[in-house]
Amino acid sequence: MPRSSTRRRFLASTALSTLAVTAGCVSSGNSGQSGSSNGTATDTATPTDTATPTDTATPSSTPDSLDDWLADANGYDGGEPQRHGPRARPTVMVGEPTDDGLAFDPPVIEVPPMTNVRWDWTGHGGQQNVVALDGTFDSGRTNAQLGTGYHYFFEETGEYRYVSEPHRDEGMKGAVIVKEPPSSGYPKVDEWLVGAGNFDGTVVDRTDADTATVTAGAEGNGGHFGFAPPALKVSTGTTVSWEWTGDGGAHNVVSKDDGPLDSELVAEDGSAYEHTFEETGSYLYHCAPHRALGMRGAVVVE
Ligand SMILES: [Cu+2]
């Protein structure tokens, strides 16, 4: 009884939100609350409470881990989820072309609470929709058209597993992890490193040392694309040395904006680059070829 009425409300509200996305996706439109204050996205959140008890499997009561569940998801390689910061506007492609269109790309993303996530249809893979296993969100009827869009505004932390219903048995699965981003107490550092999958909020304290070492090409970000530790705290006058592992291809150490760090791009095991920090501040840097993968670091000088 409650199930059927809930279902009807779903379809009504998702139809509205699809329209809203189609109409609004070209213009800028902020993510987050201002974007949803047009009403449509938050509408989809209301049925959740009533829908959950009637569904048998909520993510929290499902025995298998997210990793297990995603093991046969097309396009999933077991790596860290793509993580987004508070002001991000993440988009998931529905129908990744290289997997016959039967994949979400990326299959897993991690976002903070109060994030609007969009799904954009590529037109590959035939009829598709986006349906949460626990009923939290549902794009409604399937569609094969390029340019179809759906969005859902995630308010609550949790692990949301979803499928494209026509292809769920063929591995067209995805997940949205809604989680507070790591926090180190250094906002600039947190904002920069939210994109580094190997950063968990820890800032390694070497303020009592004259020298400190960072490994370039450490495991992380889906390969050997990490700086380890990604965040380091030192005192003025400290020399930091980056040492290459030789893994993950050629890396460099380059300041995010204008800054003092500017190494060569090298691949050889045993290569090193040094810089002595004389002034206080937060120094943000990345490896240019692997920046988008999350190969980022920070040195806080106090
Ligand atoms: Cu690199």
Side-chain angles (χ1 to χ4, degrees):
M1 190 62 170
R3 173 100 180 118
S4 61
S5 72
T6 301
R7 180 71 185 172
R8 223 173 295 122
R9 287 171 63 199
F10 259 104
L11 292 175
S13 57
T14 52
L16 268 177
S17 60
T18 306
L19 276 177
V21 167
T22 314
C25 66
V26 189
S27 63
S28 64
N30 287 323
S31 66
Q33 283 177 302
S34 63
S36 71
S37 63
N38 297 337
T40 52
T42 41
D43 284 352
T44 56
T46 10
T48 315
D49 297 339
T50 46
T52 317
T54 57
D55 281 305
T56 45
T58 61
S60 54
S61 68
T62 309
D64 57 340
S65 71
L66 187 61
D67 253 7
D68 292 343
W69 187 74
L70 285 170
D72 63 348
N74 298 331
Y76 180 67
D77 62 4
E80 299 281 337
Q82 189 185 96
R83 190 164 65 194
H84 296 270
R87 281 186 293 283
R89 305 177 61 208
T91 300
V92 178
M93 279 208 299
V94 180
E96 212 292 301
T98 57
D99 272 304
D100 293 329
L102 302 186
F104 294 105
D105 183 37
V108 196
I109 58 171
E110 186 177 316
V111 301
M114 313 307 275
T115 299
N116 195 45
V117 176
R118 279 183 42 177
W119 285 266
D120 282 341
W121 272 240
T122 64
H124 294 276
Q127 296 287 328
Q128 313 275 20
N129 64 3
V130 173
V131 179
L133 292 193
D134 69 354
T136 304
F137 52 91
D138 183 340
S139 71
R141 257 185 291 176
T142 62
N143 195 308
Q145 293 303 309
L146 167 69
T148 304
Y150 172 68
H151 68 149
Y152 184 77
F153 186 71
F154 289 89
E155 299 183 40
E156 309 271 332
T157 58
E159 249 176 41
Y160 300 87
R161 305 173 186 199
Y162 64 91
V163 297
S164 175
E165 287 174 321
H167 310 296
R168 67 182 299 164
D169 295 335
E170 294 156 272
M172 190 155 177
K173 302 164 143 190
V176 177
I177 301 166
V178 183
K179 197 174 167 181
E180 294 293 347
S183 172
S184 67
Y186 297 93
K188 270 176 68 183
V189 171
D190 291 342
E191 189 177 335
W192 177 238
L193 293 183
V194 72
N198 61 331
F199 174 65
D200 64 2
T202 305
V203 178
V204 172
D205 189 343
R206 302 302 306 275
T207 47
D208 57 355
D210 297 330
T211 62
T213 302
V214 176
T215 303
E219 216 174 317
N221 302 306
H224 288 88
F225 306 120
F227 291 108
L232 177 69
K233 182 161 68 174
V234 299
S235 303
T236 51
T238 302
T239 299
V240 176
S241 171
W242 284 264
E243 296 180 359
W244 272 245
T245 61
D247 297 318
H251 306 293
N252 60 8
V253 174
V254 179
S255 288
K256 177 194 171 220
D257 302 310
D258 289 341
L261 304 176
D262 189 16
S263 85
E264 287 180 31
L265 183 62
V266 287
E268 288 75 33
D269 176 15
S271 306
Y273 171 69
E274 277 188 2
H275 182 78
T276 303
F277 291 89
E278 302 292 1
E279 289 180 32
T280 58
S282 292
Y283 295 84
L284 311 177
Y285 66 91
H286 61 266
C287 162
H290 303 127
R291 169 183 174 150
L293 293 176
M295 190 161 178
R296 300 173 175 206
V299 179
V300 176
V301 182
E302 295 190 333

